[in-house]
Amino acid sequence: MREIFAGMPWWVKWVAVPVIALVVFGGLIASVVGFVVWLLFKVLVFAALVGGLIYLVRRFMAGSSSSRGSDW
């Protein structure tokens, strides 16, 4: 690989090749990044909903057990 770029100017290796890669694979990269962001959002929503459910159940159980005077 080094032999290919040996006679080329620096800007070919560090500017032109990455720009060409972004043009060719840009849609794929955007799709992968979008999917990862979507997945992280769904994981955060799931964690928030489960956390809220646990909070509500504990609050309900604490209130009902103190009024009844019995534990499970």
Side-chain angles (χ1 to χ4, degrees):
M1 192 67 154
R2 291 180 188 236
E3 300 86 23
I4 296 173
F5 293 114
M8 301 287 176
W10 65 270
W11 58 268
V12 171
K13 187 179 355 178
W14 298 108
V15 177
V17 173
V19 167
I20 293 171
L22 282 176
V23 168
V24 172
F25 297 108
L28 177 65
I29 293 169
S31 297
V32 170
V33 169
F35 176 74
V36 169
V37 169
W38 174 80
L39 188 63
L40 286 175
F41 176 74
K42 293 293 185 178
V43 167
L44 287 175
V45 168
F46 176 75
L49 289 174
V50 169
L53 177 66
I54 290 171
Y55 171 76
L56 288 174
V57 167
R58 285 186 178 177
R59 186 171 180 189
F60 175 75
M61 294 299 291
S64 65
S65 66
S66 64
S67 64
R68 285 190 313 198
S70 65
D71 283 332
W72 286 28

